[in-house]
């Protein structure tokens, strides 16, 4: 009887430890995923600033132009890979981000410094805002 | 016969820009040197364009290369839907290219 009691206690202790361990791991993973999503938000805000700096600069900067296109691609890749693929960022959001920054005013031959409230600047801000809103919404939903 | 063009391998890993005067790997040059010859080849029933492997593909490049087929070279949306196949692990690029072809079609009507 005592052996049975001992076995039951051991089973309860091990079972309890397993449950706590699993829940802790799950919480840790959620925290890590949230942190990764927040890094993308930071990257997007940096991209927004760099893109507006490029389009509002007095002269065309080829290096900055290349860097912007590569950064957009890096962000696009990151949100399509695990675990951030769970955010289900729609292709429309990715397309709008790329278009807002790299469709107009990105050639030396027709570059014009943009004023603060220009359509290009507004489009960049809107595309970045939409992207961040989607991340925040999905992050709260799947990794509360 | 299917003709496949891998942008990164056959053109540049870093395609950039719209007009030929703006660099060696622009949308206009890709269109003139790769897309038009491939689409003009009567033996190529399908022309497959692969985008994976490129770095920093810009919208201006895509718009000039593919929208330009309609705007400047007289291809129609129907021709291109029938013969052009786009491949990319990033779905947004494929949608974007078809959007430019659609916009160019609407602009010449």
């Amino acid at each position: 009887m005592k052996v049975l009691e001992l076995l039951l206690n051991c089973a309860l202790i091990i079972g309890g430890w397993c449950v706590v361990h699993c829940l802790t791991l799950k919480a840790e993973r959620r925290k890590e995923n949230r942190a990764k999503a927040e890094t993308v938000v930071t990257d997007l805000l940096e991209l927004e600033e760099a893109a507006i700096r490029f389009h509002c600069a007095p002269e065309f900067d080829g290096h900055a132009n290349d860097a912007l296109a590569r950064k957009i691609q890096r962000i696009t890749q990151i949100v399509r890979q695990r675990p951030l693929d769970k955010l289900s960022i729609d292709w429309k959001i990715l397309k709008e981000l790329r278009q807002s920054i790299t469709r107009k005013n990105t050639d030396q031959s027709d570059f014009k410094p943009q004023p603060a409230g220009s359509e290009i600047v507004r489009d960049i801000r809107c595309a970045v805002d939409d992207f961040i809103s989607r991340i925040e919404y999905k992050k709260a939903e799947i990794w509360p | 016969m299917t003709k496949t063009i891998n942008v990164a391998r056959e053109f540049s890993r870093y395609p950039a820009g719209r007009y030929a005067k703006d660099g060696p790997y622009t949308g206009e040059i890709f269109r003139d040197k790769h897309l038009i010859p491939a689409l003009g080849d009567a033996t190529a029933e399908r022309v497959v364009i692969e985008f994976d492997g490129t770095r920093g593909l810009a919208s201006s490049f895509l718009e000039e290369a593919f929208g330009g087929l309609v705007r400047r070279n007289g291809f129609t949306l129907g021709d291109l839907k029938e013969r052009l196949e786009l491949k990319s692990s990033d779905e947004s690029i494929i949608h974007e290219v078809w959007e430019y072809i659609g916009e160019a079609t609407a602009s010449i009507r």
Side-chain angles (χ1 to χ4, degrees):
Chain A
M1 199 62 179
K2 277 207 168 174
V3 174
L4 195 65
E5 211 172 280
L6 191 66
L7 281 174
L8 193 65
N9 283 341
C10 284
L12 274 174
I13 291 166
I14 292 168
W17 179 86
C18 283
V19 169
V20 170
H21 181 67
C22 286
L23 289 175
T24 310
L25 270 183
K26 229 176 165 179
E28 275 300 313
R29 208 164 298 137
R30 273 205 305 270
K31 200 171 150 190
E32 279 172 23
N33 292 345
R34 279 201 304 269
K36 281 179 185 163
E38 276 152 24
T39 304
V40 175
V41 170
T42 307
D43 288 346
L44 281 167
L45 291 170
E46 283 171 9
L47 175 69
E48 178 183 355
E49 286 313 305
I52 290 171
R53 216 170 27 247
F54 166 79
H55 282 287
C56 296
E59 281 178 6
F60 178 81
D61 179 348
H63 294 298
N65 190 22
D66 294 345
L68 287 171
R70 284 201 311 277
K71 185 146 191 176
I72 293 167
Q73 187 176 22
R74 253 199 318 275
I75 292 173
T76 303
Q77 281 169 345
I78 290 169
V79 297
R80 285 177 21 238
Q81 287 164 359
R82 291 179 93 178
L84 298 186
D85 60 336
K86 288 197 170 68
L87 295 169
S88 311
I89 303 295
D90 195 81
W91 60 263
K92 286 179 192 157
I93 287 176
L94 302 176
K95 179 177 71 73
E96 272 162 26
L97 178 73
R98 185 171 48 247
Q99 284 178 320
S100 72
I101 297 172
T102 68
R103 184 175 180 179
K104 295 174 188 164
N105 206 38
T106 54
D107 283 294
Q108 191 154 20
S109 61
D110 65 3
F111 181 83
K112 288 187 186 71
Q114 297 298 302
S118 75
E119 191 187 340
I120 291 176
V121 171
R122 285 202 312 267
D123 285 349
I124 293 168
R125 292 211 190 277
C126 283
V128 170
D129 279 353
D130 288 347
F131 204 142
I132 291 174
S133 299
R134 176 71 184 174
I135 291 175
E136 302 288 3
Y137 172 78
K138 288 297 283 184
K139 190 181 72 167
E141 187 183 82
I142 59 179
W143 301 313
Chain B
M1 190 186 79
T2 298
K3 174 151 183 62
T4 301
I5 301 169
N6 182 293
V7 180
R9 238 185 358 249
E10 290 164 50
F11 185 61
S12 171
R13 285 192 84 193
Y14 310 98
R18 187 182 295 271
Y19 308 116
K21 60 187 170 190
D22 287 309
Y25 303 112
T26 63
E28 185 178 2
I29 294 174
F30 180 68
R31 189 182 71 226
D32 291 346
K33 291 203 171 158
H34 292 270
L35 288 177
I36 292 173
L39 289 163
D41 180 353
T43 63
E45 287 165 22
R46 301 280 292 167
V47 176
V48 179
I49 312 295
E50 295 174 344
F51 293 102
D52 284 351
T54 55
R55 293 280 179 272
L57 210 47
S59 296
S60 57
F61 171 87
L62 297 173
E63 186 182 31
E64 189 57 39
F66 293 92
L69 285 173
V70 177
R71 272 197 313 271
R72 299 183 197 278
N73 301 98
F75 287 92
T76 67
L77 179 63
D79 291 336
L80 297 173
K81 278 226 158 132
E82 206 171 287
R83 296 188 59 209
L84 197 61
E85 186 180 339
L86 307 171
K87 287 190 175 173
S88 172
S89 55
D90 179 357
E91 196 190 350
S92 71
I93 287 175
I94 297 173
H95 288 286
E96 187 172 345
V97 170
W98 285 114
E99 181 180 312
Y100 294 141
I101 293 172
E103 281 179 8
T105 303
S107 75
I108 57 163
R109 270 185 192 147

